[in-house]
């Protein structure tokens, strides 16, 4: 691995952040500092922690940040369920985002498994 930018999970999570920003533009304005902000923050946390971990000196540190990214995936998933229940997201948007989030969850799990096997 050269940098975090070479990781497919980082690339996919950057795409997810872009999608999240597009879809939350239509959320009610009174949610700007509430759910909208929380969703955006959780989404941004995913690629941010991947990149920070990749820049660390040890495999152990990288794994720690990958686990933080995994936590952000779960946090975002919960917030999206709330947004959907409040009818801020359409069925189509909810499905699209959920599919992307599920793919990222699997990619992170695979990278964690791979890095654990390295034991560097």
């Amino acid at each position: 691995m050269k940098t975090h930018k070479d990781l497919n999970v980082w690339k996919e999570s950057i795409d997810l952040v872009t999608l999240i920003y597009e879809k939350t533009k239509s959320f009610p304005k009174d949610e700007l500092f509430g759910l909208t902000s929380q969703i955006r923050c959780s989404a941004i946390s995913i690629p941010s922690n991947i990149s920070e971990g990749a820049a660390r000196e040890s495999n152990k540190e990288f794994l720690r940040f990958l686990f933080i990214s995994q936590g952000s995936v779960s946090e975002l998933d919960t917030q999206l369920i709330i947004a959907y229940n409040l009818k801020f997201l359409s069925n189509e948007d909810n499905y699209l985002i959920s599919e992307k989030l599920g793919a990222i969850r699997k990619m992170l799990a695979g990278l964690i498994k791979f890095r654990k096997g390295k034991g560097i």
Side-chain angles (χ1 to χ4, degrees):
M1 181 181 82
K2 296 172 190 149
T3 72
H4 60 279
K5 293 178 185 176
D6 298 308
L7 294 169
N8 287 333
V9 68
W10 180 85
K11 293 173 190 173
E12 289 295 322
S13 60
I14 288 292
D15 290 344
L16 176 67
V17 171
T18 304
L19 179 63
I20 289 293
Y21 266 77
E22 289 171 4
K23 298 306 177 183
T24 56
K25 280 181 189 175
S26 64
F27 280 23
K29 295 302 171 212
D30 62 341
E31 281 298 328
L32 186 59
F33 299 105
L35 193 55
T36 305
S37 177
Q38 288 290 322
I39 287 172
R40 289 175 174 182
C41 186
S42 295
I44 289 169
S45 180
I46 299 166
S48 297
N49 280 295
I50 293 167
S51 61
E52 186 171 353
R56 296 297 174 133
E57 293 291 321
S58 72
N59 190 52
K60 183 179 178 181
E61 285 182 295
F62 188 18
L63 280 166
R64 184 170 67 89
F65 281 92
L66 291 176
F67 281 118
I68 293 169
S69 287
Q70 248 185 352
S72 295
V73 167
S74 292
E75 183 179 11
L76 178 58
D77 185 45
T78 297
Q79 293 160 352
L80 291 169
I81 290 167
I82 294 166
Y84 178 73
N85 287 347
L86 293 171
K87 309 234 184 302
F88 296 166
L89 288 172
S90 68
N91 287 338
E92 183 181 308
D93 289 343
N94 186 56
Y95 179 79
L96 177 65
I97 295 169
S98 293
E99 286 294 305
K100 282 193 166 294
L101 197 56
I104 290 167
R105 184 187 309 271
K106 287 178 184 173
M107 293 171 84
L108 272 171
L111 182 56
I112 288 168
K113 184 177 179 181
F114 174 74
R115 298 303 299 198
K116 278 184 171 180
K118 284 204 155 222
I120 301 170

